[in-house]
């Protein structure tokens, strides 16, 4: 009903209130997302007089009393009560009656049928068969908006971590890097690892990869199990010493491997993290200095190292042949999106530096579209992502609109519903 009112999807000519008086809607008002009446600063013409005030919308007019509006002075400025079914005469707190419009009498059935079809479909994309008919410009604009909305949500996550560590941007960066390396499955446990990494101690050993690995693996809790190889014994021994002299905490999260490709096992990811810290020296200054896509990618480029995980997927699980611990091209691009771009955008937002925000969005447009099930699903219906900016928008659209059937809040859903 709010959607119909907001977009004036009703027959505006010949409106009458429930008391038989002519009614003209001059301005539906501004949709109110806070407490109070649904639409503010509305303008109607009732009994040939201009009325200015608010509009309240209910399914049944008796909902006015059920919601307690008759006792709330905030609703004394309501000039029109819009309902689907009129089952009761209602009054303001001051005892005066309110003009009522029965909206159901002025809405065409096809609109309701289209909405019903969207809400009752079993498809994961409610409007999938209409997607291909959406104007290309409208599609591009909406995906750009959704991509920025997705970044804004991640900014909030960054700010929570930043507050937790007293605006320490270096610490926040490493907590976030760890979280992103964990993918969806181990994100929370990797974040806990990042939170417990003692950067001041790690900085002392940055040039010593073995000590860095011992600290990373020791803090992860993966060395608590009985060491089964000489490498594990050496790591465990080194960490035992470091833990004793520095009082280091261990992560107690659960590491998941079910239905996971061996190359994404947490042990390999932690080994890669250790290299990123020791060899690449990933820091905030490096991220802020990124000027092009290749520079961003190089921050996650790991040289092929002759280490334990070149021949093992995890502790005790060998590979059939020697494998590099490098990060793959797609993984690097994913990290550029989730670390470099998100961090640039967050830093720019926090300090109101537009140059960093623009740089983040520019990188997102330069990156190729991601390859995943959701992006492929939309491509089947003519929505081919041209860049990571658009694929990120598609991911946001799917998760926060399609999956939750928020079609009325989606520009594409609104466009389809408004069609004659």
């Amino acid at each position: 009903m709010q959607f119909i009112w907001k977009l004036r999807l009703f027959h505006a000519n010949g409106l009458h209130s429930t008391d038989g008086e002519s009614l003209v809607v001059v301005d539906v008002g501004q949709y109110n997302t806070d407490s109070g009446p649904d639409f503010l600063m509305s303008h109607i013409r009732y009994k040939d007089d201009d009325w200015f005030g608010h509009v309240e919308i209910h399914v049944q007019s008796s909902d006015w009393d059920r919601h307690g509006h008759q006792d709330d002075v905030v609703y004394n400025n309501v000039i029109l009560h819009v309902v689907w079914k009129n089952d009761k005469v209602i009054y303001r707190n001051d005892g005066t009656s309110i003009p009522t419009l029965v909206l159901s009498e002025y809405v065409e059935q096809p609109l309701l049928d289209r909405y019903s079809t969207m809400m009752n479909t079993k498809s994961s994309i409610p409007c999938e068969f209409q997607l291909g008919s959406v104007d290309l410009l409208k599609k591009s604009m909406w995906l750009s908006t959704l991509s920025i909305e997705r970044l804004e949500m991640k900014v909030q996550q960054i700010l929570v971590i930043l507050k937790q560590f007293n605006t320490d941007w270096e610490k926040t960066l490493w907590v976030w890097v760890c979280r992103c390396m964990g993918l969806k499955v181990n994100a929370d446990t990797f974040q806990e690892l990042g939170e417990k990494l003692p950067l001041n101690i790690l900085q002392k050993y940055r040039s010593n990869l073995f000590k860095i690995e011992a600290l990373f693996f020791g803090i992860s809790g993966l060395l608590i199990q009985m060491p089964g190889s000489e490498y594990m014994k050496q790591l465990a021994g080194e960490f035992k010493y470091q833990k004793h002299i520095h009082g280091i905490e261990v992560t107690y999260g659960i590491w998941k491997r079910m239905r996971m490709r061996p190359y994404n096992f947490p042990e390999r990811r932690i080994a890669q993290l250790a290299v990123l810290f020791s060899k690449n020296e990933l820091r905030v200054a490096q991220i802020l200095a990124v000027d092009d896509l290749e520079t961003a990618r190089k921050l996650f480029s790991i040289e092929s190292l002759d280490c334990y995980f070149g021949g093992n997927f995890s502790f005790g699980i060998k590979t059939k042949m020697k494998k590099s611990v490098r990060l793959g091209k797609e993984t690097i691009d994913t990290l550029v999106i989730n670390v470099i771009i998100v961090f640039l955008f967050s830093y720019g937002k926090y300090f109101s530096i537009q140059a960093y925000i623009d740089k983040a969005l520019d990188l997102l447009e330069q990156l190729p579209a991601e390859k995943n099930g959701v992006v492929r699903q939309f491509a089947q219906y003519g929505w081919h992502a041209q860049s990571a900016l658009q694929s990120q928008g598609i991911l946001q659209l799917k998760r926060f609109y399609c999956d939750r059937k928020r079609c009325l809040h989606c520009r594409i859903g609104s466009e389809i519903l408004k069609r004659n």
Side-chain angles (χ1 to χ4, degrees), residues 174 205-210 212-213 271-282 286 298-299 301-305:
W174 266 98
Y205 305 125
R206 189 180 282 274
S207 59
N208 189 324
L209 181 57
F210 173 73
I212 295 297
E213 285 182 332
Q272 291 163 343
L273 272 172
V275 175
L276 285 174
F277 185 90
S278 177
K279 303 295 183 181
N280 294 37
E281 298 189 14
L282 200 59
Q286 288 178 297
K298 285 179 181 178
L299 293 180
S301 178
I302 297 174
E303 294 300 323
S304 182
L305 299 174

Side-chain angles (χ1 to χ4, degrees), residues 405-420:
K405 292 194 174 179
R406 296 178 62 220
C407 303
L408 301 184
H409 300 275
C410 171
R411 290 184 193 173
I412 305 307
S414 297
E415 179 71 21
I416 292 170
L417 284 168
K418 286 189 295 183
R419 291 174 180 171
N420 295 323

